[in-house]
Amino acid sequence: MKRTEYKTALVTGAASGLGWEFSKILAKNNFNLVLIDINIHKLHEAKKLIERKHTVKVITLVKDLSRPNISEEIFKDINTIDILINNAGFGVFGHFVNTSWKSESKMLDLHIKTTTELTKKALEIMTEQGYGKILNVASMAAFQPGPLMSIYYASKAYILSFSLAIANELKGTGVTVTALCPGQTKTNFQKVVSASSSPNKIKFNMSDAKTVASYGYAALIKGKAIAIPGFLNRFLALLTRFIPRNTVTAIVRKIQEKNRSKIILQK
């Protein structure tokens, strides 16, 4: 039986940055919310702020999304879902040989295993009900290798490829999957970077979370397979197809060396 209207949306990394902006947009559009984040204080504050302004129901789940089988735990009591936004993520900066495997392993579990499993769990419900929309937050990093953030870039490439593939598989089902690929965005991720960077180094082509979330939401509702906010970002994504891969990698390396100096970057 097909759903005729949205009812419930689940957002990961919902307490700040893009996740918080998505949560506000969804509440404004009368979605009941399941908000997930590891930060209990910010999550409870997000719930209060939304419920103060909107009449929607807000459920909060404090979860470490890098834990194995966390998706089973989350979907244990979820029987219906109309929108899923896989937003949670973080990055690790440095030479791969020197970086913390403990942090990188958690990042891989979050970006790849949890994103994939949450998507699968949601799709099981959505395809049965004949309606649903999923947005997976990838990145402009998905379009090229990224020296000094090698696993982050690779994991975002996985999210993009995975999302596009299943978007194709789902044609005709009433369910759509969108990969959002933002460029540099003012979130907690960028605040940590800029705190140790010299002034103005990362302001070029910088967007804000509200603008990116609004663009991503519009693309999600339209059922677009890929959403790249900003003309310059769309041009750069296309340009990487025509420049030798080694050249692109070298350029990214120079940018990383210039703009990054923190070891752990949290989004």
Side-chain angles (χ1 to χ4, degrees):
M1 179 175 167
K2 291 198 173 187
R3 304 292 292 271
T4 57
E5 59 182 17
Y6 304 156
K7 290 188 177 180
T8 303
L10 186 155
V11 184
T12 69
S16 62
L18 282 176
W20 171 233
E21 295 300 333
F22 277 123
S23 300
K24 289 190 290 183
I25 292 170
L26 289 161
K28 186 178 178 181
N29 285 276
N30 299 315
F31 285 87
N32 294 320
L33 300 174
V34 179
L35 305 182
I36 303 175
D37 205 284
I38 197 170
N39 189 318
I40 184 171
H41 300 296
K42 284 189 175 181
L43 192 59
H44 288 171
E45 182 63 22
K47 175 182 170 72
K48 279 193 231 174
L49 289 171
I50 289 174
E51 289 184 333
R52 190 180 302 158
K53 193 169 182 180
H54 304 281
T55 58
V56 299
K57 180 180 178 183
V58 181
I59 296 171
T60 58
L61 300 175
V62 180
K63 302 288 183 183
D64 177 358
L65 292 170
S66 67
R67 285 201 295 118
N69 303 315
I70 189 69
S71 303
E72 291 276 357
E73 198 173 298
I74 290 168
F75 270 86
K76 181 176 62 175
D77 298 316
I78 295 178
N79 300 314
T80 180
I81 181 171
D82 298 281
I83 283 182
L84 167 65
I85 296 182
N86 280 311
N87 165 73
F90 69 93
V92 176
F93 177 81
H95 291 265
F96 176 69
V97 68
N98 297 323
T99 47
S100 163
W101 173 244
K102 183 177 179 181
S103 295
E104 288 168 333
S105 180
K106 282 179 173 289
M107 179 172 59
L108 288 171
D109 284 339
L110 172 55
H111 289 192
I112 295 178
K113 292 181 72 176
T114 299
T115 295
T116 304
E117 191 173 10
L118 284 174
T119 299
K120 196 173 191 72
K121 293 286 183 187
L123 285 178
E124 289 171 357
I125 296 171
M126 290 175 176
T127 53
E128 177 66 23
Q129 68 192 19
Y131 182 81
K133 293 181 177 294
I134 295 174
L135 185 142
N136 291 328
V137 178
S139 169
M140 284 295 293
F143 294 98
Q144 65 276 312
L148 305 182
M149 289 187 74
S150 56
I151 293 182
Y152 177 83
Y153 275 60
S155 67
K156 291 298 185 177
Y158 168 85
I159 292 173
L160 175 59
S161 179
F162 166 65
S163 299
L164 291 176
I166 59 174
N168 177 273
E169 292 177 2
L170 290 164
K171 285 182 178 180
T173 65
V175 181
T176 62
V177 176
T178 301
L180 176 63
C181 301
Q184 293 188 112
T185 307
K186 292 178 185 176
T187 63
N188 287 344
F189 188 107
Q190 287 294 345
K191 285 178 183 176
V192 176
V193 179
S194 59
S196 59
S197 301
S198 59
N200 299 321
K201 278 190 176 182
I202 62 172
K203 291 184 180 178
F204 174 71
N205 197 34
M206 177 78 75
S207 188
D208 63 275
K210 183 177 180 179
T211 300
V212 171
S214 296
Y215 184 91
Y217 178 77
L220 173 73
I221 296 305
K222 290 176 183 176
K224 290 187 175 181
I226 185 168
I228 305 174
F231 172 79
L232 180 57
N233 287 329
R234 291 191 287 275
F235 173 73
L236 292 173
L238 182 65
L239 189 63
T240 57
R241 299 181 185 181
F242 303 101
I243 299 176
R245 193 169 283 267
N246 286 342
T247 302
V248 172
T249 305
I251 292 171
V252 174
R253 170 70 182 268
K254 287 185 180 296
I255 293 171
Q256 295 287 65
E257 289 176 334
K258 183 178 181 182
N259 289 343
R260 309 289 195 265
S261 58
K262 283 285 185 182
I263 299 300
I264 302 295
L265 311 177
Q266 292 284 345
K267 181 165 85 175

